[in-house]
Amino acid sequence: MKAAILKKRQNAPFYPVTGVHTGTWPDGSSVRQEIRDLEKDTTTWTLYILALDLLQYTNQNEMLSWYQIAGIHGRPYQPFNGVLPTKGNENSGYCTHTSILFLTWHRPYLALYEQVLYNLAQQIASWYPAGVIRNKYVLAARNFRIPYWDWAASPPAGQPVLPFSVGGSEVVEVDGPNGRQLIANPLFTYQFEPLDPIQLPNQPFSIWDRTLRYPTNQDSSSATSQNNLIEQILKDPVGSRSFRTRLYNLFSRDHNYTTFSNQAWIPNPNPNGLDSLEALHDQVHGILGFGGHMSYVDYSAFDPIFFLHHAMLDRCFAMWQILNPTSYVMPQRAVQTTYTNSVGQEQTSSTPLTPFYDANGKFWTSDGVRDIQTFGYAYPETIGKSRQRVTAAINRLYSSTSRNQGLARRRMVVSRATLYPTNTYQEWIVNVVVKKHALGVPFFIHVFLGDFNPKPSSWSFEPNHISSHYIFHKSSSGSTSNCTDCEEFLVSATLPLTEALLDKVENKELSSLGPEDVLPFLASNFYTRVAYLNNTEVIRDMVPSLNVSIVSALVREPNNKYELPIWGEIVNHVDISRK
């Protein structure tokens, strides 16, 4: 039966990804809003929730079902839109990770998802009673665009970082076409109907009939999500500001698309430019999943939060493009196999972004998706493509606390040995480099500044826990040997250290941010630990490729809200990999 369905789908006409162009702007565009802002528009919000619900209940055998759209990313390794795998690549999804195409591939993927939801929203709007009510929903449906979740900005006062609409309740009340009704919250989980352990064979995903986040048990079919623990990690003053600082540093420091976008470029440990938007993306996946579906490339897209997360990444990409309009995709060798790309293949701006066809039946390429207006949307910060508008938003949302307060806090504790210019401050960073497949499965690298409980299950919640980095993997099964569908390669990240050091200064534990004070303090108080997703500690000798080092730079503060900081030369201080 499945073979017959698959054959029919392969012979069917292609489904083009065109985006949506019926918005009220002159060019037909409309704005993708932050999820909390969208929720304030109760009419559009209702359409969004109902469209998600309808998509999730679409038969899994349908090409435009939640199951098959999510399945593009990884499992169940089946053709979508009739696009067959390259011979030998049948055991991979289409998605491009650790690749120059990482950001550009996900752009038409989101456009496809948005297009399908948009069409469902039109259908739902037409079901409302004729007259004023229907007209209201029809107008809202015309401007419908998917939201993003800003996991880096401080949430509105009194609200959680993980929106209540996403992780707070398994049910939601909506005003449907037939009146007020209580339905399963389509942002909380996706229910497999049915769960097919042949298509999703990796434990524990072969026994979980719904998507889970930070599951209570990774070996039980009755496990439940622990969104409360995710929120506890996200809202931690050090943990949440780590996201903000990393993103702010990327915007202000990295002006090269290759290094900004992905992790595949690193030839060897290097003190410069070791963070990327992909590395930050991986960390968000790790925290949201913690052993659940978001933890693994092959299964992550089934979780409804996946598309909120990737819309945020696309927004950051679009904002960065306005700041750096001349830097874009350059040729780079593929280091991991996808359904249609092989290891060693040169990937360029003209490489097909499969399985996404344009209206002419040709595959989209990075050249074709460079401008988000191509798909009929914008973000609040990218309206008008104004560099000043983008920069002001970055300073408002992601600089340390408020810009003036954060800079004053840094200048308050300058080095005793060095007289910095009055408009500069010293930024301290932890560089992390490790082989991607060092353990054959995902793992966390935790960083502490002070004593901590030796029990791994407590590490993410420890007061002295500065941050962590997550090594994102395809699936839950693996080997410590080199993978069979990739090259062994290094990945990296940077973890901000300055704010945590400033806390120590304010607590009288550290005298200043100068190297003569910071380096001895780190020698006595800095620790790293490695753990699997089940909170089992990994002996450091099992990860010999792990390199952890401390670097710093003098940073010149912006003169106004329309400027970003200017970074000086990175100084590599000390390798503390064995601490």
Side-chain angles (χ1 to χ4, degrees):
M1 179 65 177
K2 289 179 182 175
I5 292 171
L6 188 58
K7 183 177 180 181
K8 179 180 179 182
R9 194 177 78 186
Q10 291 170 358
N11 293 331
F14 69 90
Y15 182 82
V17 179
T18 61
V20 179
H21 301 275
T22 61
T24 52
W25 290 5
D27 66 351
S29 297
S30 193
V31 177
R32 289 180 178 174
Q33 300 180 69
E34 210 278 334
I35 186 169
R36 298 173 184 87
D37 292 326
L38 181 65
E39 197 169 357
K40 296 173 185 175
D41 178 354
T42 56
T43 304
T44 306
W45 178 257
T46 298
L47 288 174
Y48 173 54
I49 294 298
L50 291 177
L52 285 172
D53 182 63
L54 189 56
L55 181 59
Q56 291 183 8
Y57 277 95
T58 301
N59 191 299
Q60 289 182 180
N61 291 324
E62 295 292 326
M63 187 176 82
L64 299 183
S65 63
W66 184 278
Y67 184 80
Q68 294 205 24
I69 292 173
I72 292 171
H73 198 257
R75 288 281 182 180
Y77 303 159
Q78 290 187 351
F80 184 89
N81 221 358
V83 182
L84 299 175
T86 298
K87 186 176 181 180
N89 294 8
E90 294 85 358
N91 293 323
S92 294
Y94 290 99
C95 68
T96 56
H97 285 252
T98 326
S99 162
I100 196 73
L101 307 179
F102 169 67
L103 292 176
T104 56
W105 183 89
H106 284 84
R107 184 163 280 176
Y109 188 28
L110 288 168
L112 166 67
Y113 170 72
E114 183 168 67
Q115 189 174 314
V116 172
L117 279 182
Y118 169 87
N119 289 331
L120 292 174
Q122 311 310 303
Q123 183 179 350
I124 293 166
S126 71
W127 293 342
Y128 281 87
V132 174
I133 295 178
R134 180 185 295 174
N135 292 343
K136 178 179 69 171
Y137 281 95
V138 167
L139 179 60
R142 179 183 173 189
N143 285 289
F144 174 83
R145 298 295 186 275
I146 59 173
Y148 64 91
W149 166 45
D150 192 340
W151 31 254
S154 296
Q159 293 191 30
V161 180
L162 182 65
F164 183 83
S165 58
V166 177
S169 175
E170 295 187 51
V171 295
V172 60
E173 196 170 17
V174 292
D175 284 317
N178 296 319
R180 197 78 173 162
Q181 58 187 124
L182 194 67
I183 64 172
N185 183 357
L187 290 170
F188 191 91
T189 191
Y190 164 67
Q191 178 87 36
F192 295 95
E193 294 285 356
L195 173 66
D196 186 340
I198 296 176
Q199 292 193 353
L200 309 178
N202 304 97
Q203 281 273 56
F205 305 108
S206 58
I207 61 173
W208 287 344
D209 64 358
R210 66 190 63 202
T211 57
L212 296 176
R213 303 174 196 142
Y214 208 136
T216 51
N217 188 309
Q218 296 184 26
D219 301 310
S220 171
S221 60
S222 61
T224 58
S225 291
Q226 299 179 101
N227 287 299
N228 60 312
L229 295 185
I230 296 172
E231 173 60 23
Q232 192 173 334
I233 297 172
L234 292 174
K235 76 175 181 180
D236 172 74
V238 176
S240 61
R241 73 189 183 199
S242 176
F243 284 169
R244 281 195 297 280
T245 304
R246 286 180 70 178
L247 188 56
Y248 190 66
N249 290 351
L250 279 169
F251 278 130
S252 61
R253 177 181 161 195
D254 209 324
H255 307 291
N256 179 288
Y257 173 83
T258 299
T259 55
F260 169 82
S261 64
N262 78 98
Q263 302 180 87
W265 62 273
I266 303 164
N268 49 58
N270 184 319
N272 292 295
L274 290 182
D275 215 359
S276 65
L277 193 57
E278 184 180 15
L280 183 51
H281 146 275
D282 289 0
Q283 176 66 0
V284 177
H285 267 277
I287 290 176
L288 293 176
F290 231 108
H293 290 75
M294 279 290 282
S295 307
Y296 301 93
V297 174
D298 278 354
Y299 294 93
S300 58
F302 290 113
D303 190 323
I305 205 170
F306 171 92
F307 293 100
L308 292 168
H309 172 38
H310 272 273
M312 167 64 173
L313 294 169
D314 184 69
R315 167 179 169 265
C316 294
F317 175 27
M319 292 167 68
W320 184 91
Q321 286 183 280
I322 291 174
L323 299 179
N324 305 276
T326 62
S327 184
Y328 200 52
V329 175
M330 297 295 289
Q332 188 179 74
R333 290 176 66 256
V335 296
Q336 292 195 115
T337 290
T338 73
Y339 208 55
T340 57
N341 290 282
S342 300
V343 170
Q345 176 181 334
E346 185 177 71
Q347 297 178 321
T348 71
S349 61
S350 60
T351 298
L353 304 177
T354 56
F356 310 116
Y357 287 105
D358 64 18
N360 297 316
K362 297 181 179 180
F363 288 118
W364 283 105
T365 67
S366 298
D367 287 330
V369 305
R370 188 166 186 167
D371 188 343
I372 59 177
Q373 285 183 281
T374 299
F375 293 119
Y377 68 90
Y379 294 100
E381 299 81 10
T382 68
I383 296 171
K385 298 182 179 180
S386 164
R387 183 184 180 90
Q388 284 194 337
R389 183 186 184 99
V390 169
T391 304
I394 291 169
N395 279 319
R396 183 180 74 253
L397 295 170
Y398 307 124
S399 63
S400 301
T401 55
S402 70
R403 188 177 72 89
N404 291 334
Q405 180 183 348
L407 293 172
R409 190 170 183 239
R410 283 167 165 77
R411 288 198 299 266
M412 178 181 66
V413 288
V414 296
S415 164
R416 296 191 306 269
T418 305
L419 291 176
Y420 299 156
T422 56
N423 64 339
T424 65
Y425 57 89
Q426 189 148 20
E427 196 73 42
W428 288 88
I429 289 171
V430 181
N431 275 349
V432 177
V433 181
V434 69
K435 285 185 177 180
K436 174 80 168 180
H437 302 281
L439 295 173
V441 293
F443 58 96
F444 277 104
I445 301 164
H446 295 276
V447 176
F448 304 89
L449 198 58
D451 294 335
F452 58 95
N453 189 321
K455 189 175 181 182
S457 60
S458 73
W459 287 351
S460 295
F461 312 99
E462 285 292 298
N464 287 325
H465 185 259
I466 299 174
S467 189
S468 59
H469 183 57
Y470 179 66
I471 307 302
F472 201 24
H473 241 263
K474 281 181 62 176
S475 66
S476 55
S477 60
S479 163
T480 54
S481 62
N482 289 354
C483 60
T484 58
D485 59 355
C486 67
E487 293 180 348
E488 187 53 272
F489 53 91
L490 296 169
V491 292
S492 67
T494 67
L495 307 180
L497 188 56
T498 307
E499 292 293 331
L501 291 172
L502 285 170
D503 290 342
K504 301 299 182 182
V505 172
E506 291 183 348
N507 293 335
K508 310 296 185 184
E509 299 175 57
L510 178 65
S511 298
S512 81
L513 290 186
E516 73 283 357
D517 290 320
V518 169
L519 296 178
F521 181 81
L522 294 178
S524 301
N525 295 279
F526 184 92
Y527 302 94
T528 59
R529 292 292 184 271
V530 180
Y532 292 117
L533 290 178
N534 63 359
N535 287 318
T536 299
E537 183 172 4
V538 177
I539 304 303
R540 288 294 299 277
D541 288 344
M542 293 179 63
V543 198
S545 64
L546 178 59
N547 180 279
V548 181
S549 60
I550 303 297
V551 302
S552 71
L554 283 181
V555 181
R556 192 178 75 190
E557 66 185 63
N559 294 315
N560 55 62
K561 67 179 181 180
Y562 301 118
E563 296 179 358
L564 291 173
I566 298 176
W567 285 66
E569 182 180 354
I570 297 289
V571 178
N572 196 8
H573 291 284
V574 61
D575 181 337
I576 49 177
S577 300
R578 303 306 301 178
K579 273 287 285 180

